[in-house]
């Protein structure tokens, strides 16, 4: 098993000494609407990206249109970067403090609760009264005196802010290739999750469950070693197997694909360069000369075959599956890695389907929808099985915000990846986030269910949870539920059915 770099070793590799730096804002004080008191010119820390500080519990939420389906029983939970203190450096979407917004459904009634994920880094900064950690792209030195017992030594904070899922009865808040934190269903932080082992394990932001065995396959990359590590976590929540796969260089891999018989790993040329970081350049470098390598990995890790492709980058896959001797991947393709801002002449990310012929090992790739998109989702019950429909947001002219930052959307699309047909639900002058599919019943049709989407009104600065009929997203909303406070733009969520 490859050695994972410790945070202390990472400090030493970067040549960082134990010096306190007086960056960052002071203690954040929640305003009357829950916002943090500080402000920022960073577009991903302002508008509806501005974090909230207030944690609240509200019963009997107002349904402003439609009605709550009586068959909904469980919770829609969504995580996202929500820094409590003004960051020293910030690279969206790679930094922040986790905050989970949960909407609980029970017999037609709805309640809301939000909580910070109390990671060791969060507690350390709370104790210091300000931000002390840098960014994944710009680490900073930290005075050990600020850390204290049980604190996160840094230089990069594990914020557990990217996603939230439940597996084997454990509710988990996930970071990027680091330890994850277990929570109660009421969002109280229990601590780092060990998955039946004697120490916390590293998980990636995106992990995929095998449709037949129920095993959760997880991925974590290394900042130092040219390897990725996979865990297979059985249906009861215990690690059953661990193996590693060698890469050409230390590589950032945010998501991967699981099919019935393969792990498909796309190693795009987003490389961790410690030498560059020592000289003051960003740690994460785009090196297109390396190209993109596509790994076909046996489920047990016993073999890996690499296929070569031109350089491009993937944050998120919708789904992948095998059919007729081919592997199909539905994903959002970026022409390069770009954290936060587009560069001149850069193409917008669009939805693609890749076709890998398992006999000839030839790769075909086609754009499905020629419009800016991200955050693709499918019916999770069909993960690794054939799917037609991908749900993902895009941006239209009905959003009247001037110069919205990247990852701002206002229209939800249902794309048929077999035919290219697209159905839309345009929210107008409201900002919409990722959609999460909620099945209406077990083993029903692929699109028999609801889509849960947080939507923000920039005029009155209010947030709603919108439920759409997944089979007919272009019709009237099933329900619009008014949130008791603004819900900032976040990242990923999931439906947690009532146990």
């Amino acid at each position: 098993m490859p050695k994972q770099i410790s945070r202390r070793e990472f400090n030493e590799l970067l040549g960082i000494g134990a010096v306190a730096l007086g960056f960052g804002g002071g203690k954040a004080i929640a305003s009357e609407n829950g916002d943090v008191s500080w402000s920022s010119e960073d577009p991903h820390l302002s508008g509806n990206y501005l974090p909230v500080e207030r944690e609240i519990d509200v019963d009997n939420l107002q349904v402003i249109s439609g009605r709550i389906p009586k068959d909904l029983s469980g919770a829609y939970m969504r995580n996202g970067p929500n820094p409590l203190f003004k960051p020293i450096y910030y690279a969206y979407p790679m930094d922040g403090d986790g905050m989970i917004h949960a909407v609980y459904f029970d017999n037609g009634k709805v309640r809301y609760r939000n909580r910070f994920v109390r990671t060791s880094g969060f507690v350390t900064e709370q104790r210091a009264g300000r931000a002390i950690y840098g960014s994944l792209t710009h680490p900073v030195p930290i005075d050990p005196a600020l850390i204290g017992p049980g604190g996160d030594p840094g230089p990069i904070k594990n914020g557990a802010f990217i996603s939230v899922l439940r597996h084997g009865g454990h509710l988990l808040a996930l970071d990027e290739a680091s330890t994850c934190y277990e929570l109660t269903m009421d969002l109280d932080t229990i601590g780092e999750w060990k998955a039946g082992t004697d120490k916390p394990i590293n998980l990636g932001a995106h992990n995929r469950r095998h449709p037949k065995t129920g095993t959760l396959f997880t991925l974590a990359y290394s900042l130092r070693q040219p390897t990725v590590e996979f865990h297979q976590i059985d249906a009861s929540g215990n690690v059953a197997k661990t193996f590693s796969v060698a890469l050409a260089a230390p590589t950032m891999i945010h998501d991967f694909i699981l099919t019935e018989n393969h792990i498909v790993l796309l190693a795009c040329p987003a490389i961790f360069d410690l030498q560059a970081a020592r000289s003051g350049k960003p740690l994460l470098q785009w090196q297109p000369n390396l190209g993109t390598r596509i790994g076909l990995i046996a489920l047990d890790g016993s073999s890996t075959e690499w296929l070569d492709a031109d350089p491009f980058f993937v944050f998120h896959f919708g789904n992948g599956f095998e059919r007729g001797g081919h592997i199909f991947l539905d994903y959002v393709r970026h022409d390069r890695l770009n954290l936060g801002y587009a560069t001149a002449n850069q193409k917008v990310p669009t939805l693609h389907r890749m076709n890998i012929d398992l006999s000839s090992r030839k790769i075909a790739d086609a754009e499905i929808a020629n419009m800016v998109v991200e955050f693709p989702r499918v019916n999770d019950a069909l993960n690794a099985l054939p799917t037609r429909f991908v749900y993902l947001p895009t941006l239209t002219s009905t959003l009247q915000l001037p110069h919205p930052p990247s990852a701002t959307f206002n229209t939800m699309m249902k794309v048929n990846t077999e035919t290219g047909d697209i159905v839309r639900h345009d929210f107008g002058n409201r900002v919409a986030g990722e959609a999460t599919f909620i099945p209406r019943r077990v083993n029903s049709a692929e699109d028999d269910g609801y889509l849960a989407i947080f939507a923000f009104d920039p005029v009155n600065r209010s947030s709603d949870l919108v439920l759409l009929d997944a089979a007919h997203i272009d019709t009237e909303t099933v329900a619009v539920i008014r949130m008791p406070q603004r819900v900032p733009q976040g990242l990923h969520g999931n439906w947690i059915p009532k146990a």
Side-chain angles (χ1 to χ4, degrees), residues 18-57:
V19 179
L21 297 182
F23 298 120
K27 186 181 188 304
I29 300 174
S31 64
E32 290 184 0
N33 62 1
D35 297 349
V36 292
S37 61
W38 50 267
S39 62
S40 172
E41 294 182 358
D42 186 328
H44 289 107
L45 288 172
S46 54
N48 199 40
Y49 290 88
L50 179 69
V52 296
E53 181 182 8
R54 185 170 59 186
E55 298 174 317
I56 60 175
D57 304 272

Side-chain angles (χ1 to χ4, degrees), residues 103 304 480:
V103 181
T304 301
V480 178

Side-chain angles (χ1 to χ4, degrees), residues 34 52-58 78 82 99-104 111-118 186-187 484-488:
V52 296
E53 181 182 8
R54 185 170 59 186
E55 298 174 317
I56 60 175
D57 304 272
V58 179
R78 199 219 62 198
N82 190 83
M99 175 174 276
I100 297 178
H101 301 264
V103 181
Y104 301 84
R111 64 185 178 92
Y112 168 86
R113 175 182 293 233
N114 71 306
R115 291 292 186 273
F116 280 103
V117 183
R118 282 167 166 76
D186 286 330
L187 308 184
Q485 69 177 2
R486 184 176 61 85
V487 177

